[in-house]
Amino acid sequence: MNDPATVGVADATAARAQAERFCEVFQRLKQQIHRVFVGHDELVETLLAVLMSDGHALLEGVPGLGKTLLAQTLASALQLRFSRIQFTPDLMPADIIGTMVLHEKEGGGHELRFEEGPLVANFILADEINRATPKTQSALLEAMQERQISVGRATRPLPRPFIVVATQNPIEHEGTYPLPEAQLDRFLVKLLVGYPAEQEYHEILDRTTGVELPTVEPVSTGEEVLALRRVVRSVPVAPQVRGYAIRLVMATQPDSPYAPSAVKRAVLLGSSPRGAQGLLLLGKVRALLGGRFAVSCQDIRDVALPVLRHRVLLSYEGHAEGVRPDDLVRAVLEAVPELSSAK
Amino acid sequence: MTPFRADAVQAELRTCLRAARRYVHVRNVRDAVLKTMERVAWLALLFAVFFLLARIGMAVGGVPASGGLSIYPWIFAAAAIVVALGGVLPTALSTPSWSEAAERLDLAAHNHNRIATALALASAGPHSAFAQAAMLDGLDSARRLTRQRPHLSPPSVRSRRLLTVTSVAVALHVAGLFVQAGGAAGTARDSAWGMGAPSGLGRPTTQPPSPRSRPDAAGVSGQQAVRAAAAAVQRAVAGEPAGAQPPASPPTAAGASGSGGSGRPSPRVTAGGLAAATGSSSRTERAAARAHAAPAAPRVPDAPRAAARATEDAAPVSPGSSGGGAASPVSHDWAQRETSTEREDEDSADEPVDDEQSMSTQRGGLQPLLKDRQESPSRDLGMSGPPDGPPGTGRGGPTPPKKSRGTASLVLGVPIPDFVRGKVGPGTTRVVQEQVGPVAMPGAVAEPVEAAARRLPEAPVPRPEVLGELAAVIRDYLMALHAADRPGRAEAGYPKVEEPVERSEP
């Protein structure tokens, strides 16, 4: 019998090479972003993981923390078509999708042509997305999920890769429209941008108040991002790890047998299957970054907070008691055992 | 290229996992044994409680300790064996799966599920390049962690709780033995479980029967009890001590005194206790007993009167009558009045609800209270009737209470939790009304004058002092402001007020 360690080496070597290539591009992108965006290493890593997972990200933080700068920098590091949409209350769906415009033909006569809106791009920065009305916010639903837009009777595919990075401010609620649940569910992660550390303040001031401002060079292309996404999806998931992710998602649902008492008391709606998809996709990215070829339960736990925090809809009691979704996700992580035999 | 052989990887993984699997099995069996011990301890506690209650019940009720409980240890042993076998055998016979051993090994080594994933992928379908790499990675980990002990869940059985339950069970059982031993003074010793030999009938108890426990009427002869009570009263009048034993009570009286089946009255039981032991079969007996027990109390002169009253009450009462016998044809009204309060108290202790109702509504001919007033029949002669009752007869009658149509009926029935947690309620508002007489307000009063006279007195309104220069400026400003109202303003030499002029574009 052949030694199991020597058989199938060619395939394993190819997988290792792909994983190393993935890590190399990932680290290059991360390095370029950190030339401009100081600190928040975990945040940057998760945002890049979202890019590699074919998802969308929602950045939430108070003004002045660099949410828009982070998204702009990421777009600059990729040679992609970039669009920035500043969401305002009077923004209409046609303003972002595009509309039919009457054109005069050269030979005479008129025709209707589709004028693309800023949504037709690879990288969309939806700045202050909660300032637009739900009507305009809903115009993003089809684009974010199906990667296409429908104008009139025509459906047009959006260019690939397509990623939406939206920002919103958690404190200014006047004149804002909270994102509908269907819209929130389409974001793979919700990332909270916090204040930088003291040392990071020094670095920020050094870089931004001098004569020369740091610049970002494009280090990857759209085609390479698409190839890396295929690598990510090639990472296998063992049944027990998949079961753990499923149990985690089910534990956020108050009617589930896995739900802890905190969830039963304070949650109205739990995560959808999109949450489980997000757990596995981001877990695959983390496995590759960790030099492994399969997802582990620890990978699932590491990404549970950004993936599940915006998919937990608090009940009236939860709002009244001041429960935070992050605490509920942590309670779920503590309640659900990792061992498949312990359920 | 040599094709990838997943079965070979799986076989080697199992070889590496053999020790971990065995270790998990041993620990599972040990946990099962501990769990079984805890269950047996709880079972012993249950049996001890049952044993203690049974012993107390038999001691109180005077039931002989027959051989019914002698099989108690055998029942307990059988139950313990069944519980032990049911708890340990399934675990001992079932070995943990390979995947469980792999998961526990990964968990113990913080191995990111490498071994478990490799094992699962090896037994799954087509193997991609990444799956092959993951399997080889897991195989390397398994080789490295052969001597690693797998992760084990903390035991669910706490030794302290086990000891506590066992101690309580033993203590309860010993207490049960103690109850039997304390009540069996002078009787034969029981077996090791305290239930072996029957202790015979008529074991007296130190605990008197409850006053509410009425004796069996068939075994009680009321007249004999009354005679015994009267004799006791006579002895009390003669000055004998309260604890003196009556000379020779007939067997029927002794049987009557044993309400709980205890035929031999204890020497410590006094006549008062005897009468109390007979329960409430006859109030005359209790009255006689009270009279007999009276010498122990300071009020010695009252004893003859009570004894005479008891004799009078007791004479015409038929045996066993408890309620209707109180209306004795020979009893005096004053005696009935004096004893009525006590009888009411006793009756109220027996049937509290009925007495409360009767006491609340029946006032002995006096005017009924307003709160007892019943609602007058309705004048509604409609045929609809109550919504949940039979249709109306058209003759009126009580109608169901009207449903509220006010603001309270509009309030949602959904409980709304308070957002402000822990805030103390404001409480009831107390309004205090005080009669205060009119008080004149300080200040000047303007005298009313006729309007046509135009000679108003100086108003009490304070006027600010205006200095000379400021007064001139104000005067000039006001004159310029109102100059437009007067003709010839240009000639008067007042300053002009410029008006805005519209400029036209060229």
Side-chain angles (χ1 to χ4, degrees), chain B residues 238-472:
Chain B
E240 291 183 12
Q245 182 73 13
S249 59
T252 53
S257 64
S259 63
S262 59
R264 290 182 292 129
S266 171
R268 288 173 291 182
V269 178
T270 62
L274 184 67
T278 57
S280 59
S281 62
S282 172
R283 291 189 176 88
T284 57
E285 297 171 11
R286 288 199 298 271
R290 278 196 301 271
H292 186 257
R299 297 176 58 190
V300 176
D302 292 339
R305 189 163 62 96
R309 189 175 64 208
T311 305
E312 291 174 358
D313 289 346
V317 176
S318 62
S321 64
S322 59
S328 172
V330 297
S331 61
H332 300 287
D333 290 338
W334 57 270
Q336 192 171 5
R337 281 198 298 273
E338 284 189 2
T339 57
S340 63
T341 305
E342 298 171 357
R343 291 171 184 174
E344 284 174 2
D345 293 340
E346 292 165 2
D347 291 340
S348 64
D350 290 338
E351 299 174 350
V353 177
D354 296 336
D355 288 350
E356 283 178 6
Q357 291 177 352
S358 61
M359 289 293 290
S360 61
T361 56
Q362 299 176 6
R363 294 177 52 80
L366 296 178
Q367 185 178 9
L369 296 175
L370 188 61
K371 65 182 179 64
D372 298 328
R373 182 174 65 90
Q374 293 183 348
E375 191 178 0
S376 60
S378 172
R379 299 298 183 191
D380 185 9
L381 303 181
M383 299 295 291
S384 58
D388 53 348
T393 58
R395 298 181 178 180
T399 57
K402 180 186 176 186
K403 291 182 180 178
S404 173
R405 297 180 183 272
T407 307
S409 65
L410 300 178
V411 176
L412 289 176
V414 181
I416 299 176
D418 193 358
F419 267 97
V420 184
R421 296 173 61 81
K423 182 181 178 182
V424 180
T428 58
T429 303
R430 184 183 181 190
V431 178
V432 179
Q433 292 183 347
E434 295 181 355
Q435 289 187 351
V436 180
V439 178
M441 297 293 292
V445 179
E447 295 294 336
V449 296
E450 293 182 2
R454 297 287 184 188
R455 287 182 288 106
L456 292 173
E458 187 175 359
V461 179
R463 292 181 176 178
E465 294 288 338
V466 181
L467 298 177
E469 294 180 1
L470 185 59

Side-chain angles (χ1 to χ4, degrees), chain A residues 276-337:
Chain A
Q277 294 171 354
L279 288 177
L280 289 190
L281 284 173
L282 285 185
K284 290 180 176 185
V285 174
R286 289 195 73 87
L288 286 175
L289 293 177
R292 287 173 278 110
F293 304 98
V295 183
S296 69
C297 293
Q298 183 61 44
D299 297 329
I300 301 295
R301 273 197 298 272
D302 290 342
V303 301
L305 211 55
V307 170
L308 296 179
R309 66 160 58 107
H310 61 291
R311 303 177 198 273
V312 174
L313 183 63
L314 295 180
S315 64
Y316 190 87
E317 289 78 8
H319 281 294
E321 295 176 2
V323 176
R324 297 188 309 168
D326 284 14
D327 297 335
L328 291 174
V329 176
R330 289 191 185 97
V332 165
L333 288 174
E334 288 182 3
V336 177

Side-chain angles (χ1 to χ4, degrees), chain B residues 8-239:
Chain B
V9 175
Q10 189 176 8
E12 185 163 357
L13 280 173
R14 289 185 176 180
T15 304
C16 297
L17 287 173
R18 192 159 294 150
R21 188 189 188 202
R22 191 181 310 119
Y23 185 72
V24 171
H25 187 213
V26 170
R27 287 296 298 264
N28 285 348
V29 171
R30 201 184 75 175
D31 286 348
V33 168
L34 283 175
K35 281 183 182 176
T36 305
M37 286 176 65
E38 188 182 19
R39 288 175 187 167
V40 170
W42 281 107
L43 191 66
L45 179 64
L46 184 67
F47 271 74
V49 170
F50 171 74
F51 177 67
L52 179 63
L53 292 179
R55 297 306 297 263
I56 290 176
M58 287 191 300
V60 170
V63 177
S66 63
L69 289 180
S70 61
I71 60 170
Y72 169 78
W74 300 107
I75 295 176
F76 171 73
I81 289 173
V82 168
V83 169
L85 291 180
V88 176
L89 271 185
T91 309
L93 294 178
S94 65
T95 53
S97 63
W98 293 106
S99 61
E100 182 183 351
E103 284 184 54
R104 293 188 180 277
L105 194 59
D106 283 330
L107 204 57
H110 302 287
N111 199 30
H112 283 278
N113 300 86
R114 280 188 173 96
I115 303 174
T117 300
L119 196 63
L121 293 176
S123 58
H127 307 296
S128 65
F130 272 90
Q132 294 177 20
M135 280 188 276
L136 294 179
D137 195 17
L139 188 56
D140 289 341
S141 299
R143 286 169 178 165
R144 276 190 292 107
L145 300 174
T146 305
R147 296 183 181 278
Q148 171 77 32
R149 284 190 170 184
H151 168 81
L152 295 168
S153 305
S156 59
V157 178
R158 297 177 182 173
S159 57
R160 183 175 298 178
R161 187 170 61 187
L162 182 61
L163 283 176
T164 305
V165 174
T166 307
S167 304
V168 171
V170 171
L172 288 178
H173 186 77
V174 170
L177 293 176
F178 180 74
V179 167
Q180 195 274 340
T187 61
R189 287 290 172 191
D190 291 336
S191 65
W193 289 88
M195 287 289 126
S199 57
L201 294 173
R203 176 180 300 157
T205 59
T206 55
Q207 183 178 359
S210 171
R212 295 180 64 88
S213 61
R214 297 175 181 271
D216 190 4
V220 176
S221 174
Q223 292 181 355
Q224 292 170 352
V226 166
R227 280 197 294 274
V233 168
Q234 290 173 1
R235 284 196 307 275
V237 171

